[in-house]
């Protein structure tokens, strides 16, 4: 006898940063979504300790940044341990430094659940079948086996993704060559060591993080990669730390420990039929420069509106394919830069000449800017169509705006996750032209709030995609507005249709 379970347009596997961000984005577009998460409750553990400038912007454009309260930011960054001052970048935000990943996940959970996502903890995907019309998902739950049926299944289930394996995605790359440890602890004092501080025999970094806790990261030369079922015992981490630094921390109290490696892999396609991957499920790499969670969140922001457009019935034919073409390229560069950083900070004296050459190059502002843009994700330029305006395909930076009745900003206009056509020249014709897309696009008459129009300088209008990237700018785009509206927002008046979830039994096995 089976207990009927709820069908959904989308089932997301994994309530990590990628899964929760995607759930929230889909809900903003009115899509019904179930998130299944195998852990009955959050672990409270934090691999990441902050997020990049671009993720600050992404949270801000959904009105989420304020949920953290005061966010401490810092312009100090690095590339492979070589310091870079990020204040040379344009933008409203620097990276957040003191928000543990667990707090980010908590914020995203509360947001997504508040928007109506159905998040089921203790539910683990154990199998799936895409029959072309929908996906059957076999799930283990505290109450026994269940089967869900969804229009689409998105695997946001991390580096060891069961979805990736079950759906047969190719995941080429290089295997881990070494094992590294992290331990958060209290009750033991260490000499603070910054990233890139090599010591004879390996790399050791550590220092205070929030809440009176000290974090250490240890990489011993020659420590072979190991598959562990359990986190490494604190004694093992403390012993490695002592061998490298001479400091005895064995009397400390561990908060948590984990081991990780430098395996670098990426799926060859981000979607196979009705099964899609986002986040670590699609790409794994050395955690260098704090980028993984950011890339995962941004995968989801890229995917959310496109998948919603398909489900809501207005997606132009190739829209969902651009999720792969845009994010695979971003992931490829992420793998490249984390591998390069690993070579710099995880090796010994043999790479010192390389560090020295790069240090010399870093005296040039263009080089610093190039690397800073790369690791913050602010370099991303999507292929949006012909044109020579520098904003095309780039993320829209924050600009304060005034409408006839209120103060607003480019950031604020993106809160509802819809397209935004900003008419800066009061051209009534634009509004009339976009009227047939009114269910997908907000048309706003506004002018920059200050004399300094910044990136909007010289423009009469700009069209933003729901993910905050510039699809069209006038003058400067090689296409007319209607062509671009059709390219990114589908046929006029085609919205508001919901693709029905193909009929399925949705019963327990
Ligand atoms: C040591 C270390 C330090 C890091 N530091 C940083 C940093 O400073 N900054 C940064 O940006 N990134 C950092 N990262 C990377 C970051 O932690 C990941 O990129 C991020 O967690 C990926 O998010 P995700 O949602 O894709 O996957 P995950 O966070 O791994 O979430 C996947 C979720 O899926 C669930 N799940 C798995 N299998 C199933 C299943 N079969 N059924 C149901 N649920 C399932 C899991 O329980 C989990 O909750 C670090 C990583 C490591 C290892």
């Amino acid at each position: 006898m089976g207990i009927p379970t709820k069908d959904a347009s989308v089932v997301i596997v994994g309530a990590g940063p990628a899964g929760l961000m995607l759930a929230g984005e889909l809900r903003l577009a009115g899509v019904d979504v179930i998130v299944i998460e195998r852990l009955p409750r959050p672990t409270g553990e934090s691999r990441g300790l902050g997020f990049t400038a671009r993720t600050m912007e992404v949270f801000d454009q959904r009105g989420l940044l304020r949920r953290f309260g005061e966010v401490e930011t810092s312009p100090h960054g690095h590339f492979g341990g070589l310091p870079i001052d990020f204040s040379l970048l344009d933008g409203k935000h620097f990276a957040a430094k003191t928000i543990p990943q667990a707090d980010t996940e908590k914020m995203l959970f509360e947001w997504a659940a508040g928007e109506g996502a159905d998040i089921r903890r203790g539910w683990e995907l154990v199998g799936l079948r895409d029959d072309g019309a929908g996906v059957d998902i076999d799930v283990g739950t505290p109450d026994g086996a269940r089967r869900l049926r969804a229009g689409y299944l998105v695997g946001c289930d991390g580096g060891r993704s069961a979805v990736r394996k079950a759906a047969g995605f190719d995941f080429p790359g290089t295997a881990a060559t070494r094992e590294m440890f992290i331990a958060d602890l209290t009750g033991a004092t260490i000499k603070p060591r910054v990233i890139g501080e090599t010591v004879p025999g390996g790399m050791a970094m550590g220092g205070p993080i929030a809440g009176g806790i000290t974090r250490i990261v240890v990489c011993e030369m020659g420590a072979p990669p190991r598959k562990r079922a359990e986190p490494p015992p604190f004694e093992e981490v403390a012993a490695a730390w002592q061998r490298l630094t001479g400091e005895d921390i064995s009397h400390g109290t561990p908060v948590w420990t984990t081991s990780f490696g430098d395996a670098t892999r990426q799926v060859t396609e981000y979607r196979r039929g009705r099964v899609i991957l986002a986040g670590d499920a699609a790409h794994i790499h050395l955690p260098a420069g704090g980028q993984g969670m950011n890339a995962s969140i941004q995968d989801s922001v890229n995917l959310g509106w496109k998948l919603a457009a398909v489900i809501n019935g207005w997606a132009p034919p190739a829209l969902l394919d651009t999720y792969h073409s845009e994010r695979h390229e971003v992931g490829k560069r992420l793998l490249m830069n984390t591998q390069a950083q690993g070579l710099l900070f995880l090796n010994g004296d043999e790479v010192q000449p390389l560090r020295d050459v790069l240090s010399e190059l870093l005296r040039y502002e263009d080089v610093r800017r190039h690397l800073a843009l790369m690791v913050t994700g602010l370099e991303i330029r999507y292929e949006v169509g012909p044109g020579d305006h520098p904003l095309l395909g780039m993320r829209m930076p924050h600009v304060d705006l005034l409408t006839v009745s209120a103060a607003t900003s480019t950031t604020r206009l993106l809160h509802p996750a819809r397209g935004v056509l900003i008419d800066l020249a009061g051209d009534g014709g634009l509004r009339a032209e976009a009227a047939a897309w009114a269910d997908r696009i907000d048309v706003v008459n506004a002018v920059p709030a200050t004399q300094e129009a910044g990136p909007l300088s010289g423009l009469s209008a700009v069209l933003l995609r729901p993910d905050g990237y510039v699809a069209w700018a006038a003058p400067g785009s090689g296409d007319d507005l209607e062509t671009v509206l059709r390219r990114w927002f589908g046929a006029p008046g085609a919205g508001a249709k919901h693709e029905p979830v193909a009929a399925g039994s949705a019963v327990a096995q």
Side-chain angles (χ1 to χ4, degrees):
M1 266 289 285
I3 303 166
T5 55
K6 181 185 170 198
D7 289 343
S9 296
V10 181
V11 167
I12 297 171
V13 185
L20 293 169
M21 189 78 216
L22 180 61
E25 292 285 297
L26 290 170
R27 286 303 305 141
L28 288 182
V31 172
D32 57 311
V33 56
I34 295 175
V35 183
I36 58 169
E37 165 57 55
R38 74 173 166 202
L39 297 176
R41 65 195 66 82
T43 62
E45 295 165 357
S46 288
R47 288 173 284 172
L49 294 175
F51 36 83
T52 62
R54 179 61 191 141
T55 301
M56 291 280 283
E57 292 180 348
V58 164
F59 286 158
D60 208 7
Q61 76 186 15
R62 295 293 183 257
L64 299 176
L65 204 49
R66 58 181 176 227
R67 291 183 178 228
F68 290 111
E70 192 77 12
V71 177
E72 196 182 315
T73 63
S74 163
H76 302 301
H78 72 91
F79 188 87
L82 302 171
I84 302 182
D85 182 349
F86 286 6
S87 53
L88 52 75
L89 297 179
D90 304 324
K92 189 181 170 202
H93 301 295
F94 295 122
K97 293 291 185 197
T98 53
I99 300 180
Q101 185 168 332
D103 290 6
T104 302
E105 288 174 17
K106 181 169 181 288
M107 182 281 284
L108 289 173
F109 179 93
E110 286 166 2
W111 170 60
E115 292 291 340
D118 176 353
I119 305 173
R120 302 180 182 186
R121 289 197 162 274
W123 285 47
E124 178 169 9
L125 173 137
V126 293
L128 64 92
R129 195 173 73 89
D130 176 357
D131 60 21
V135 188
D136 288 324
I137 303 141
D138 291 325
V139 184
T141 81
D143 303 321
R146 294 277 185 281
R147 176 170 290 173
L148 298 175
R149 184 169 173 85
Y152 289 86
L153 172 66
V154 188
C156 298
D157 50 342
R160 295 186 178 154
S161 171
V163 174
R164 186 180 67 224
K165 289 171 196 152
F169 285 84
D170 274 344
F171 196 42
T174 53
T177 61
R178 59 186 101 211
E179 182 179 53
M180 290 162 263
F181 298 130
I182 284 187
D184 286 355
L185 62 140
T186 57
T189 313
I190 59 160
K191 176 186 151 214
R193 294 168 191 275
V194 296
I195 185 166
E197 192 166 322
T198 53
V199 288
M203 193 280 298
M205 58 183 272
I209 58 172
I213 292 169
T214 295
R215 170 164 291 191
I216 60 166
V217 185
V218 196
C219 174
E220 275 190 291
M221 294 290 177
R226 283 176 56 181
K227 277 211 168 99
R228 294 176 187 258
E230 298 292 330
F234 177 63
E235 296 70 39
E236 195 179 340
V237 184
W241 181 262
Q242 187 160 18
R243 281 193 294 276
L244 290 183
T245 66
E247 292 173 343
D248 180 7
I249 54 166
S250 59
H251 56 284
T253 306
V255 179
W256 74 289
T257 63
T258 190
S259 61
F260 62 101
D262 58 350
T264 301
R265 296 181 183 278
Q266 185 184 22
V267 287
T268 53
E269 47 191 350
Y270 277 33
R271 176 168 74 92
R272 282 171 66 85
R274 288 177 174 267
V275 182
I276 305 173
L277 299 179
D280 278 12
H283 39 71
I284 56 167
H285 54 84
L286 180 74
Q291 300 173 80
M293 183 183 79
N294 298 273
S296 301
I297 287 169
Q298 288 163 51
D299 281 351
S300 293
V301 175
N302 187 286
L303 173 62
W305 70 279
K306 296 173 182 174
L307 185 56
V310 172
I311 290 159
N312 287 334
W314 58 257
L319 184 68
L320 195 52
D321 295 341
T322 66
Y323 169 60
H324 166 84
S325 56
E326 293 184 346
R327 295 308 295 178
H328 187 273
E329 191 55 33
V330 170
K332 210 164 90 183
R333 288 183 64 75
L334 172 66
L335 266 50
M336 176 189 77
N337 95 56
T338 49
Q339 275 183 311
Q341 294 197 60
L343 290 172
L344 288 166
F345 78 84
L346 290 179
N347 289 299
D349 290 345
E350 71 279 13
V351 299
Q352 194 54 43
L354 187 59
R355 290 186 199 117
D356 293 342
V357 168
L358 198 56
S359 297
E360 285 184 17
L361 289 173
L362 282 168
R363 289 185 204 140
Y364 297 97
E365 186 173 321
D366 279 356
V367 175
R368 293 198 300 277
R369 186 185 306 281
H370 183 87
L371 294 178
L373 287 169
M374 185 186 275
V375 297
T376 52
L378 292 174
E379 71 167 6
I380 294 169
R381 178 193 290 277
Y382 297 134
E383 182 54 57
V384 292
D388 56 10
H389 195 279
L391 272 186
L392 281 174
M394 305 293 290
R395 108 294 187 198
M396 181 67 231
H398 177 91
V399 180
D400 287 317
L401 299 170
L402 291 175
T403 68
V404 172
S405 54
T408 184
S409 69
T410 50
T411 306
R412 195 181 175 82
L413 291 173
L414 287 162
H415 282 191
R418 288 161 50 83
V420 185
L421 178 61
I422 307 175
D423 175 358
L424 297 156
D427 173 1
L430 280 184
R431 183 176 292 274
E433 213 176 332
W437 285 268
D439 56 336
R440 284 151 266 173
I441 289 169
D442 296 320
V443 183
V444 180
N445 286 69
V447 291
T450 62
Q451 295 285 346
E452 285 287 310
L456 293 177
S457 187
L459 288 176
S460 61
V462 66
L463 175 66
L464 310 183
R465 307 191 321 188
D467 59 359
Y469 286 82
V470 177
W472 182 77
S477 177
D479 286 321
D480 59 29
L481 178 60
E482 186 185 333
T483 304
V484 176
L485 285 170
R486 285 178 181 273
R487 178 178 304 138
W488 292 107
F489 295 98
K497 276 189 240 125
H498 283 259
E499 185 196 57
V501 176
S505 56
V507 291
Q509 292 175 310

